[in-house]
């Protein structure tokens, strides 16, 4: 049973780099008053977005509601999310890794893959040493810790970075892979969800090693292509390439927003949806995209989701058209005896907006006119702020603040304005917070 | 319209659209009536080094799009325009910041560094580092707060000294946790 899956060492050297408790770490690293305390971000949404290791140790988990956290951990510090700072630090993380290799895939805000194959000579050190140096630089320059995994493929690298957290560095060369897989439940593998895990259990496959030991023919017969690739990656063969190009287009655009207190007022909830639609359409127009369909989602106070989807007759990024199309399905899924806490919209099947095929009944002149109107609206919003002009249907969502009650929901950084800064335009440097003596 | 004003219009277009304008668009921007005059303007700007073309002939931005020109030190009397051509301009950002990814800012509240010229309200740019040298002004973590002091290393003894007689030096009880080192100071009037 202790037979290695492969005898190679590191034919490719792929790193997976994962920030430890990223949002909470960003907060702790800039304010020493928060060090060693259970810090939780996501105050403005009422649920945990990220928690520090101190909070994790007390049993706080992601998406837990704040009043539950208070019971577990009365001394927890709740902070509103400061996405401006988090994205600045995220960009820095990628920039630092790019000092070592140009092949970096920005996988999410706090994770990336890096290919360091063949870099030993130019970086003067073994793969392990290079990984150590990347980790050291990230830890020092960003002020919090990262966990790294080094392996012959992306899947193995990802297992490595999870192996020892926080602040770990795990190198899994080809001939060691089987030792790491033996204990790993199959659902912990990247890309295997509850459904697939249950299906595999029917075939008596419970651990990642049992999965990796199945013959390739078996995998191809019973599973689909993504799992065949996963299986190959587990053998230490790199088949998933790094997506190193920056994102210049989107498959879909989503906008979700929570409001408090929850409401059962049809007009108010629709205004919230309408505001999300306007924001989603604005983003689509910025990338010169138009959507062929949209999904409308409503979430009740007790976290029950309902949603419906519509297809448009022609791709569009005009807010008023999307609102008109979603109005009837909103009325279908809205029940006035429920209280709603958030609304959302997903624009999907996006395509470039310069090749739109009109249907027989579309008046081209009118569409031309709307294009001009929206161009003007976007110009105004760019110059004077996102909420300068909006549709009447969104009025109720703009008339009140998003969250009533709890004060201090604006991130601390946004309350400090340096001379020459405005609420919309701030220096792109992260700031140390707390008192400076 | 002077060439400079026309050039500035192209720069603003670049900032607004994140791409260079086409000849057609330049024509509209500078209110020319023919593309031939645009062509002449573009050639003039290329000669001045303010525009570039790629292999396919499309326009590319140059460093003039991003930087405040460095005009050399001020000499009383007549400025020498040739100096602008000789110097390689660096942006104010490059001037103030050495390691971009490790640089953070901090606003000063107290008056403990006033004799070092750091006043309350000043913005200090600091670079995250683990080690600092004797005499450098550092940001250290003391009792759950940031403190901005000069680092003094005498033999094995390390102290944090204020630049104000009112404050006594801080002698760290155990290990001193240095977060960053001051690299520049910004004060706006």
């Amino acid at each position: 049973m202790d037979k290695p899956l492969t005898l190679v060492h590191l034919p490719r050297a792929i790193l997976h780099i994962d920030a430890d408790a990223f949002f909470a770490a960003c907060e702790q690293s800039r304010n020493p008053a928060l060090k060693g305390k259970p810090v939780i971000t996501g105050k403005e949404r009422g649920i945990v977005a990220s928690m520090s290791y101190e909070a994790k140790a007390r049993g706080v988990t992601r998406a837990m509601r704040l009043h539950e956290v208070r019971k577990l951990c009365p001394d927890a510090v709740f902070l509103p999310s400061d996405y401006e700072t988090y994205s600045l630090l995220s960009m820095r993380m990628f920039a630092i890794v790019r000092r070592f290799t140009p092949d970096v895939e920005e996988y999410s805000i706090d994770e990336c893959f890096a290919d360091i194959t063949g870099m030993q000579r130019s970086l003067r050190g073994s793969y392990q040493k290079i990984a150590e140096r990347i980790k050291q630089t990230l830890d020092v320059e960003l002020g919090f810790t990262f966990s790294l995994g080094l392996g012959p493929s992306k899947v193995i690298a990802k297992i490595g970075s999870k192996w020892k957290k926080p602040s770990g560095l795990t190198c899994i060369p080809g001939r060691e892979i089987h030792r790491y897989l033996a204990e790993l439940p199959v659902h912990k593998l990247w890309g295997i969800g509850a459904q697939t895990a249950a299906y595999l259990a029917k075939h008596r496959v419970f651990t990642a090693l049992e999965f990796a030991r199945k013959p390739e023919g078996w995998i191809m017969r019973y599973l689909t292509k993504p799992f065949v690739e996963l299986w190959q990656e587990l053998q230490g063969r790199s088949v998933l390439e790094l997506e190193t190009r920056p994102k210049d287009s989107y498959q879909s655009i989503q906008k979700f927003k929570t409001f408090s207190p929850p409401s059962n007022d049809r007009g108010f909830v629709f205004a919230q949806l309408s505001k999300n639609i306007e924001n989603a359409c604005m983003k689509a127009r910025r990338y010169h995209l138009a959507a062929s369909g949209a999904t409308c989602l409503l979430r009740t106070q007790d976290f029950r989701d309902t949603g419906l989807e519509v297809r448009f007759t022609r791709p569009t990024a005009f807010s008023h058209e999307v609102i008109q199309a979603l109005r009837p399905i909103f009325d279908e899924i809205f029940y006035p005896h429920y209280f709603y806490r958030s609304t959302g919209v997903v624009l999907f099947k996006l395509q470039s907006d310069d090749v739109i095929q009109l249907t027989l009944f579309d008046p081209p002149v009118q569409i031309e006119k709307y294009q001009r109107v929206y161009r003007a609206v976007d110009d105004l919003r760019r110059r004077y702020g996102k909420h300068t002009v909006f549709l009447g249907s969104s009025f109720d969502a703009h008339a009140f603040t998003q969250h009533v009650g709890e004060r201090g929901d604006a991130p601390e950084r946004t309350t400090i304005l340096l001379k020459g800064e405005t609420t919309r335009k701030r220096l792109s440097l992260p700031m140390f917070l707390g008192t400076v003596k | 319209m002077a060439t400079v004003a026309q050039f500035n219009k192209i720069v603003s277009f670049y900032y607004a659209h994140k791409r260079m304008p086409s000849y057609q668009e330049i024509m509209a921007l500078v209110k020319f009536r023919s593309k031939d005059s645009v062509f002449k303007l573009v050639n003039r700007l290329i000669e001045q080094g303010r525009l570039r073309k790629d292999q396919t002939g499309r326009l590319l931005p140059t460093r003039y799009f991003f930087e405040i020109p460095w005009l050399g030190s001020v000499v009383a009397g007549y400025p020498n325009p040739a100096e602008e051509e000789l110097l390689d301009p660096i942006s104010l950002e490059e001037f103030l910041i050495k390691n971009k990814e490790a640089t953070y800012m901090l606003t000063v509240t107290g008056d403990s560094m006033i004799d070092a010229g750091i006043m309350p309200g000043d913005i200090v740019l600091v670079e995250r580092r683990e080690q600092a040298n004797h005499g450098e002004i550092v940001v250290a973590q003391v009792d759950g707060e940031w403190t901005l002091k000069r680092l003094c290393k005498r033999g094995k003894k390390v102290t944090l000294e204020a630049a104000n007689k009112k404050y006594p030096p801080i002698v760290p009880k155990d290990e001193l946790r240095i977060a960053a080192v001051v690299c520049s100071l910004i004060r706006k009037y």
Side-chain angles (χ1 to χ4, degrees):
Chain A
M1 209 50 218
D2 204 32
K3 199 178 78 184
L5 286 160
T6 170
L7 289 171
V8 297
H9 181 63
L10 287 171
R12 292 275 298 272
I14 314 281
L15 271 173
H16 181 250
I17 304 168
D18 191 359
D20 299 323
F22 183 59
F23 295 169
C26 290
E27 298 289 351
Q28 286 181 315
S29 72
R30 64 175 172 178
N31 189 347
L34 302 174
K35 292 243 167 86
K37 287 192 185 151
V39 172
I40 279 141
T41 73
K43 185 183 180 191
E44 79 289 353
R45 295 198 293 163
I47 53 172
V48 177
S50 160
M51 62 281 173
S52 70
Y53 276 83
E54 294 83 358
K56 229 175 249 184
R58 309 272 282 275
V60 178
T61 56
R62 279 192 70 174
M64 193 179 259
R65 283 189 255 176
L66 297 190
H67 61 88
E68 294 170 52
V69 176
R70 259 184 220 116
K71 273 182 241 158
L72 270 176
C73 191
D75 55 337
V77 183
F78 298 101
L79 296 170
S81 312
D82 178 1
Y83 290 109
E84 187 181 319
T85 301
Y86 307 155
S87 30
L88 279 175
L89 290 168
S90 165
M91 270 149 50
R92 286 182 170 201
M93 163 183 169
F94 304 138
I96 289 171
V97 180
R98 285 205 174 89
R99 284 186 207 158
F100 295 86
T101 168
D103 293 332
V104 177
E105 173 180 336
E106 302 178 5
Y107 185 67
S108 74
I109 192 164
D110 61 347
E111 275 177 76
C112 67
F113 288 98
D115 185 342
I116 53 169
T117 313
M119 301 296 281
Q120 300 105 315
R121 187 168 298 171
S122 70
L123 294 175
R124 299 202 192 127
S126 62
Y127 289 139
Q128 169 90 24
K129 281 269 168 325
I130 298 171
E132 279 166 20
R133 260 165 44 212
I134 295 178
K135 174 167 165 48
Q136 161 81 3
T137 315
L138 286 167
D139 289 358
V140 169
E141 296 193 2
L142 296 182
F144 50 90
T145 61
F146 290 78
S147 295
L148 278 72
L150 172 61
S153 66
K154 282 169 90 173
V155 169
I156 301 296
K158 214 164 152 70
I159 292 171
S161 67
K162 289 231 166 39
W163 199 257
K164 190 171 168 288
K165 254 182 159 300
S167 200
L169 167 57
T170 309
C171 174
I172 309 181
R175 67 177 85 89
E176 300 283 329
I177 294 173
H178 63 288
R179 298 185 202 281
Y180 290 86
L181 300 189
E183 302 290 315
L184 199 68
V186 75
H187 72 264
K188 294 268 179 186
L189 284 174
W190 186 24
I192 294 200
Q195 289 293 322
T196 318
Y199 176 67
L200 287 170
K202 303 250 185 307
H203 290 281
R204 301 271 152 253
V205 172
F206 299 103
T207 70
L209 187 61
E210 283 164 353
F211 178 79
R213 291 243 193 255
K214 284 280 176 197
E216 189 161 13
W218 186 91
I219 303 285
M220 294 218 261
R221 186 162 159 220
Y222 290 104
L223 294 162
T224 51
K225 185 162 172 265
F227 301 102
V228 178
E229 287 172 346
L230 172 68
W231 182 87
Q232 288 169 331
E233 290 251 318
L234 287 174
Q235 312 299 314
R237 268 183 263 152
S238 175
V239 291
L240 299 172
E241 283 307 314
L242 267 67
E243 192 57 61
T244 52
R245 281 190 320 149
K247 201 171 238 184
D248 54 2
S249 170
Y250 287 85
Q251 295 274 311
S252 69
I253 290 176
Q254 339 185 342
K255 288 284 167 191
F256 286 87
K257 205 101 197 180
T258 308
F259 45 90
S260 61
S263 167
N264 67 342
D265 181 311
R266 184 183 292 264
F268 179 75
V269 177
F270 187 73
Q272 291 287 344
L273 179 68
S274 165
K275 186 176 165 186
N276 282 328
I277 294 171
E278 280 199 84
N279 289 338
C281 287
M282 189 166 75
K283 185 167 179 186
R285 292 195 298 270
R286 191 161 69 229
Y287 287 94
H288 300 287
L289 296 169
S292 313
T295 308
C296 152
L297 282 152
L298 301 179
R299 173 171 286 175
T300 63
Q301 196 175 10
D302 43 0
F303 290 84
R304 250 188 295 231
D305 291 335
T306 39
L308 264 182
E309 170 181 316
V310 276
R311 295 294 170 96
F312 308 143
T313 51
R314 142 182 75 74
T316 181
F318 296 156
S319 321
H320 71 280
E321 291 186 336
V322 179
I323 291 170
Q324 270 165 19
L326 289 183
R327 178 88 229 193
I329 67 164
F330 170 83
D331 286 331
E332 208 167 304
I333 59 178
F334 180 87
Y335 286 100
H337 50 274
Y338 283 138
F339 279 79
Y340 293 90
R341 76 187 309 270
S342 63
T343 66
V345 64
V346 184
L347 299 179
F348 56 81
K349 287 222 167 142
L350 296 171
Q351 51 170 273
S352 173
D353 68 357
D354 51 11
V355 285
I356 289 169
Q357 176 74 54
L358 300 186
T359 65
L360 205 51
F361 306 105
D362 280 322
V365 179
Q366 205 181 349
I367 288 171
E368 187 88 2
K369 208 169 92 190
Y370 278 124
Q371 269 167 357
R372 289 221 301 278
V373 169
Y374 279 102
R375 217 172 292 146
V377 167
D378 291 342
D379 269 347
L380 281 169
R381 290 178 141 202
R382 228 184 338 261
R383 196 172 306 174
Y384 299 107
K386 203 167 154 194
H387 304 307
T388 316
V389 264
F390 48 84
L391 290 170
S393 57
S394 310
F395 180 79
D396 279 350
H398 287 275
F400 309 98
T401 50
Q402 203 69 22
H403 301 277
V404 184
E406 289 229 55
R407 280 166 56 86
D409 273 352
E412 190 179 349
R413 173 63 181 100
T414 63
T415 61
I416 306 166
L417 277 190
L418 302 173
K419 209 173 207 167
E421 285 188 330
T422 68
T423 45
R424 293 188 50 77
K425 291 185 173 170
R426 279 190 286 270
L427 271 180
S428 65
L429 278 179
M431 194 181 232
F432 279 10
L433 299 174
T435 37
V436 184
K437 282 203 171 156
Chain B
M1 207 182 331
T3 315
V4 178
Q6 288 159 344
F7 173 69
N8 287 341
K9 292 227 157 144
I10 297 174
V11 175
S12 326
F13 181 98
Y14 178 76
Y15 275 95
H17 297 85
K18 306 275 183 291
R19 65 172 175 86
M20 292 296 288
S22 65
Y23 281 53
Q24 183 92 41
E25 285 164 328
I26 297 180
M27 195 165 90
L29 281 176
V30 299
K31 301 203 174 64
F32 279 171
R33 308 254 287 278
S34 81
K35 276 199 209 159
D36 187 50
S37 21
V38 175
F39 181 71
K40 281 178 186 147
L41 169 69
V42 166
N43 279 347
R44 209 152 56 232
L45 289 169
I46 288 174
E47 239 168 65
Q48 294 173 3
R50 287 176 197 275
L51 282 182
R52 280 184 302 149
K53 274 184 184 175
D54 67 6
Q55 296 97 318
T56 61
R58 281 176 209 277
L59 296 180
L60 294 173
T62 58
R63 57 164 201 251
Y64 288 98
F65 281 62
F66 309 102
E67 285 160 2
I68 306 165
W70 176 271
L71 292 166
S73 41
V74 180
V75 181
Y78 294 105
N80 178 359
E83 239 165 20
E84 188 181 351
E85 309 300 319
L86 293 173
L87 288 166
D88 215 359
I90 58 167
S91 72
L92 206 48
E93 180 146 338
E94 285 173 295
F95 178 65
L96 294 172
I97 296 172
K98 203 163 63 190
N99 181 354
K100 199 169 182 294
E101 281 79 40
T103 303
Y104 296 76
M105 62 178 169
L106 181 77
T107 47
V108 181
T109 32
D111 61 351
S112 70
M113 293 305 284
I114 209 149
D115 291 340
I118 303 177
M119 321 269 246
D122 283 356
I123 301 164
V124 172
L125 298 187
V126 299
E127 196 178 293
R128 269 198 196 272
R129 252 196 266 155
E130 277 181 326
Q131 299 299 325
N133 300 320
H134 170 76
E136 285 185 308
I137 300 175
V138 299
V139 180
Q141 195 185 313
V142 176
D143 301 328
E145 280 176 342
W146 296 124
T147 183
L148 190 69
K149 296 286 175 295
R150 196 181 291 283
L151 184 74
C152 285
K153 287 183 175 169
R154 287 194 191 87
K156 279 194 177 153
K157 210 177 137 210
V158 180
T159 52
L160 292 173
E161 287 184 1
N164 184 340
K165 284 181 207 83
K166 285 197 308 205
Y167 300 90
I170 300 171
V171 184
K173 277 169 231 131
D174 31 56
E175 188 205 9
L176 176 65
R177 300 255 291 272
I178 291 172
V181 178
V182 172
C183 53
S184 354
L185 175 76
I186 301 173
R187 184 180 306 149
K188 275 190 83 172
Y189 293 99

